[in-house]
Amino acid sequence: MSLEKYSKDETLSMRKKLIGQSCKLFYSDDPVKIVKARGQYLYDENGARYLDCISNVQHVGHCHPGVTQAAAAQMEILNTNSRFLHDNIVSYAERLSATLPDKLCVFYFVNSGSEANDLALRLARQYTQHEDVIVLDHAYHGHLMSLIDISPYKFRKLSGQKEWVHVAPLPDTYRGPYREDHPDPAQAYADAVKDAIDEAHKKGRKISAFFAESLPSVGGQIIMPQGYSAKVAEYVRSAGGVFVADEIQTGFGRVGSHFWAFQLQGEDFCPDIVTMGKPMGNGHPLACLATTVEIAEAFTANGVEYFNTFGGNPVSCAIGLAVLDVIEKEDLRGNASRVGAHFKNLLMELQSKHQIVGDVRGAGLFLGVELVTDRESRTPAIDAAAMVVKRLKEERICVSLDGPWENVVKFKPPMCFSMEDVKLVVENMDLILTDIATNSI
């Protein structure tokens, strides 16, 4: 017997009436009503099972019992304002600190990645006493007004670029100005950031921060060239600014080899501020900012208390601790490495078989497949990419698209994704891409 209050059509009708229409649904032409989930699987109102390849929020798996039990147990005892003394917030901060470089040892807990990035902007400006920000093209850092202003992905569709925002090219070695055949793309892309700093200085402006996702996601699942971040950090710090690493989509072991994606850039690189969110609470609203003692002291010195009603509350921190426990006990970083490497290899086999697959890239369980109509010109295969998503959904496999032209099929599944799941996805993609080629879509 179904426990659902409304039929799917009734739910959809009520949503259209009551929920803002800018809040889009997946598969808007034929939405999926999900009523239950476990691990990497979603279930609709009829009990049909869907493989979830995109819920990077449910990091350790949907409804993981270790997480839900920790939440319920703490909720039965206490959930209160974080200005009361409590063990959970300091225990959680200590656990997070152990995953980060030593200098990133002061934490601010918030509720969302957007809050974390907005706070990073405030800290950077307070510490540097400068205003301007450098961001990467196609970047997205959150939905607050302050973050729309530093997200080219959004502001290009709205009021445009503010005078205090400077856009550097996305370090994309597949589609960007410096590609895989360039002798030193990391230096070339870093020099473009230096050029942006110089242009700002010519206008009498000063840089407070460089913001970048450690692996740009909306930009198309981009893997930055090795050494890029360290070179950029050198230029930005020389200009009096700080380096902010946005780990909201990529942190907590998603890349497999490291706990944080910025660590892919080498042991000699450490950001000044790291923001984290989505996977922290496995679906519970929990986010954080980590920074240095010096930056934190400058923020305190402004004399204005930073107060967040829900950030770091006992229940949120209990959930965060449980997520860390599951990552460790179930070796989810190891799983991301093993399964992700196998997944990438099979996708590269698709690339050798199908001309439409222009590029396969990624690390761990952060993967992207860029579809093109022509490998020489690298023209985005926009319609074909949309068809792949639609057809995979018909096979009960949920994926979505990213990249400036929406032609990159992205994979950021729960970290419990298995070898069998990979096989299912790749076999279906192979059939779909064969049909697309046969029918010249």
Side-chain angles (χ1 to χ4, degrees):
M1 177 179 165
S2 174
L3 298 178
E4 291 306 294
K5 187 174 182 179
Y6 305 111
S7 70
K8 177 180 172 179
D9 288 343
E10 288 171 332
T11 304
L12 181 58
S13 177
M14 292 178 71
R15 180 172 172 120
K16 287 178 178 178
K17 178 181 177 182
L18 297 167
I19 307 300
Q21 289 303 293
S22 57
C23 303
K24 300 291 187 183
L25 286 164
F26 285 131
Y27 314 112
S28 55
D29 291 342
D30 183 22
V32 182
K33 183 175 182 179
I34 298 300
V35 301
K36 177 183 168 185
R38 181 58 63 99
Q40 63 272 52
Y41 303 113
L42 306 167
Y43 299 85
D44 71 13
E45 75 280 12
N46 298 314
R49 190 183 82 173
Y50 289 77
L51 177 61
D52 186 356
C53 300
I54 50 179
S55 287
N56 60 324
V57 176
Q58 284 74 27
H59 193 63
V60 300
H62 290 272
C63 306
H64 192 290
V67 177
T68 58
Q69 288 165 16
Q74 181 59 53
M75 205 173 292
E76 286 189 346
I77 300 169
L78 172 74
N79 196 28
T80 189
N81 196 297
S82 55
R83 291 204 286 186
F84 288 109
L85 199 58
H86 195 271
D87 289 348
N88 283 8
I89 190 170
V90 293
S91 296
Y92 188 35
E94 184 177 48
R95 289 277 297 278
L96 286 175
S97 181
T99 70
L100 289 159
D102 290 345
K103 79 171 192 176
L104 297 171
C105 59
V106 182
F107 298 85
Y108 297 84
F109 289 100
V110 294
N111 308 291
S112 71
S114 290
E115 271 193 278
N117 278 339
D118 180 75
L119 181 58
L121 195 57
R122 289 180 60 189
L123 264 68
R125 285 174 167 168
Q126 179 67 31
Y127 176 70
T128 64
Q129 292 296 297
H130 300 165
E131 181 184 19
D132 289 27
V133 175
I134 299 174
V135 293
L136 297 177
D137 207 358
H138 310 300
Y140 175 63
H141 293 292
H143 59 73
L144 301 181
M145 286 185 68
S146 62
L147 305 175
I148 296 295
D149 286 344
I150 64 168
S151 298
Y153 167 69
K154 292 290 186 183
F155 72 60
R156 294 199 195 286
K157 302 173 185 175
L158 296 168
S159 58
Q161 189 171 335
K162 299 289 193 293
E163 62 178 354
W164 53 270
V165 176
H166 312 276
V167 179
L170 183 69
D172 177 358
T173 57
Y174 178 72
R175 187 172 289 285
Y178 311 110
R179 298 186 174 182
E180 67 276 3
D181 57 352
H182 191 280
D184 192 351
Q187 186 66 61
Y189 281 113
D191 286 346
V193 176
K194 179 67 164 59
D195 291 343
I197 293 171
D198 292 342
E199 286 299 312
H201 286 173
K202 286 177 186 176
K203 298 174 184 175
R205 308 195 67 87
K206 295 181 178 180
I207 304 301
S208 69
F210 172 84
F211 263 76
E213 293 174 90
S214 296
L215 299 177
S217 180
V218 168
Q221 305 291 96
I222 303 300
I223 303 297
M224 294 180 174
Q226 189 68 31
Y228 170 79
S229 295
K231 297 175 193 297
V232 169
E234 180 184 337
Y235 292 145
V236 171
R237 288 166 184 157
S238 294
V242 298
F243 191 112
V244 180
D246 180 337
E247 289 273 348
I248 289 161
Q249 297 215 47
T250 57
F252 294 84
R254 176 158 293 281
V255 298
S257 58
H258 298 82
F259 202 84
W260 304 102
F262 74 78
Q263 293 169 323
L264 293 171
Q265 288 286 307
E267 292 183 7
D268 60 337
F269 171 65
C270 178
D272 301 295
I273 297 172
V274 172
T275 56
M276 53 193 86
K278 292 183 186 297
M280 286 185 79
N282 209 54
H284 179 84
L286 172 62
C288 185
L289 177 151
T291 191
T292 66
V293 169
E294 294 78 14
I295 292 173
E297 286 179 345
F299 191 55
T300 302
N302 71 7
V304 178
E305 176 192 11
Y306 178 72
F307 171 57
N308 192 307
T309 303
F310 301 112
N313 70 72
V315 170
S316 293
C317 289
I319 290 169
L321 285 163
V323 169
L324 293 180
D325 287 342
V326 175
I327 292 171
E328 292 172 11
K329 290 175 182 175
E330 299 185 6
D331 187 27
L332 293 183
R333 269 183 57 196
N335 190 65
S337 291
R338 293 184 296 272
V339 175
H342 181 59
F343 200 175
K344 188 175 179 182
N345 285 337
L346 291 185
L347 291 172
M348 290 175 73
E349 288 179 14
L350 287 187
Q351 182 181 18
S352 65
K353 181 177 179 181
H354 299 281
Q355 285 293 308
I356 195 172
V357 180
D359 193 37
V360 173
R361 51 183 176 259
L365 286 172
F366 178 94
L367 299 169
V369 177
E370 180 149 359
L371 303 183
V372 295
T373 59
D374 179 82
R375 284 191 178 178
E376 286 297 313
S377 64
R378 304 187 181 186
T379 305
I382 299 169
D383 292 342
M387 178 61 69
V388 168
V389 172
K390 180 177 183 291
R391 290 280 304 275
L392 283 173
K393 182 243 188 179
E394 291 169 359
E395 301 301 325
R396 297 177 184 166
I397 298 170
C398 295
V399 301
S400 60
L401 301 173
D402 253 334
W405 291 273
E406 294 285 307
N407 69 312
V408 179
V409 183
K410 63 178 178 180
F411 298 98
K412 286 180 288 190
M415 295 277 280
C416 51
F417 214 64
S418 71
M419 296 291 190
E420 292 75 20
D421 299 327
V422 168
K423 183 173 182 285
L424 178 67
V425 172
V426 175
E427 285 179 350
N428 277 279
M429 281 191 71
D430 188 15
L431 292 172
I432 293 164
L433 293 177
T434 299
D435 280 354
I436 287 173
T438 302
N439 295 302
S440 300
I441 294 174

